[in-house]
Amino acid sequence: MINKKVANVTEAMKGVEDGMTLMLGGFGLCGIPENAINNLVKLNVKGLTCISNNAGVDDFGLGLLLHKRQIKKMISSYVGENDEFERQMLSGELDVELVPQGTLVERCKAAQSGFPAFFTPAGYGTEVAEGKEVREFNGKMYVLEEAFKADFAFVKAWKGDAAGNLIFKGTARNFNPAMCGAAKITVAEVEELVPVGSLDPNQIHIPGIFVQRIFEGKDYEKRIEQRTVISK
């Protein structure tokens, strides 16, 4: 068994440099790798290409990197409620590639599985398909989409062990499993790191072969993007 446990986020982030392409799990603020993002802010790496469903909010998540102009390009499915993301995109300061949400996750999964590309009907006849190969299958038109190529994937899980096996909790599962193993190096931060053999094999969502580094995170805020309550 290969021990993939590292002492802390600082050790887990070794090798991250300017100009790299990074995958970051999460949906909105749910299941984002908070420790990794905060450390990227401290490292002050620049010229990053970030692949993520969206970019958090103005003062949290990837929004922190946007404020410091650390991100050169965002590849995501929508702008969300991040005003700074919208401003930088409209002003031309930030290069943005908007990808249909299903295509975004499938491009992650294609990289994870070792497939260079795949055909999808999503985006045919729109700007999404411009400059891409289009082919007809059984009377329906499809667009060729290429797998992502990333240097690091940063994911957040609920529990994990030193072998890199991961369990996600609830909707925090979202994009995280698809990004595991989809980059040259996958770094998993978990709320609870347990001894090998402690996890029920039937409950494991991602086997350790897809993870290179794992550490126990701390000080999670787990902010709620939109809180809805019932007034009595």
Side-chain angles (χ1 to χ4, degrees):
M1 191 275 293
I2 300 175
N3 186 353
K4 300 174 182 180
K5 177 182 176 181
V6 294
N8 50 46
V9 65
T10 302
E11 187 175 342
M13 304 286 281
K14 285 183 178 178
V16 176
E17 300 176 351
D18 292 349
M20 282 189 164
T21 297
L22 312 178
M23 288 181 169
L24 299 108
F27 188 112
L29 301 181
C30 178
I32 64 173
E34 294 182 30
N35 283 220
I37 292 172
N38 290 336
N39 198 256
L40 286 171
V41 174
K42 293 178 182 178
L43 289 173
N44 201 33
V45 284
K46 304 282 189 179
L48 300 173
T49 295
C50 291
I51 301 167
S52 187
N53 184 57
N54 60 311
V57 293
D58 285 347
D59 61 345
F60 195 62
L62 288 178
L64 299 172
L65 298 178
L66 285 172
H67 271 289
K68 290 189 65 179
R69 307 296 193 277
Q70 292 176 253
I71 301 176
K72 175 186 69 176
K73 180 178 181 178
M74 273 298 309
I75 301 175
S76 55
S77 70
Y78 72 110
V79 175
E81 299 184 19
N82 191 320
D83 292 335
E84 181 62 16
F85 186 179
E86 179 183 17
R87 190 196 67 76
Q88 289 188 28
M89 180 179 73
L90 295 176
S91 68
E93 298 172 44
L94 180 68
D95 186 7
V96 176
E97 180 182 348
L98 292 178
V99 181
Q101 198 165 75
T103 302
L104 184 74
V105 71
E106 290 302 327
R107 290 178 69 182
C108 293
K109 290 167 68 176
Q112 182 188 64
S113 302
F115 298 132
F118 61 93
F119 281 98
T120 174
Y124 173 72
T126 72
E127 291 183 12
V128 170
E130 289 182 3
K132 298 174 182 176
E133 180 182 343
V134 174
R135 191 179 297 184
E136 182 179 345
F137 294 93
N138 301 317
K140 190 172 183 178
M141 303 306 294
Y142 290 78
V143 181
L144 183 68
E145 294 283 359
E146 295 186 1
F148 286 127
K149 299 178 180 67
D151 298 292
F152 279 85
F154 296 105
V155 302
K156 158 77 182 343
W158 177 44
K159 286 185 179 181
D161 62 24
N165 299 306
L166 303 177
I167 296 176
F168 301 94
K169 188 174 185 180
T171 53
R173 198 166 171 179
N174 52 59
F175 281 79
N176 283 299
M179 291 183 173
C180 292
K184 295 176 183 176
I185 297 175
T186 296
V187 177
E189 58 179 84
V190 298
E191 293 181 42
E192 184 180 357
L193 189 59
V194 300
V196 174
S198 300
L199 301 178
D200 180 351
N202 294 306
Q203 300 300 316
I204 292 172
H205 295 127
I206 289 291
I209 194 170
F210 290 103
V211 176
Q212 281 71 50
R213 302 173 189 171
I214 187 169
F215 70 96
E216 187 170 281
K218 59 181 181 179
D219 302 325
Y220 286 108
E221 291 189 45
K222 295 186 182 180
R223 291 194 196 178
I224 298 174
E225 196 167 355
Q226 289 289 345
R227 185 186 299 273
T228 302
V229 297
I230 298 175
S231 298
K232 293 184 178 180

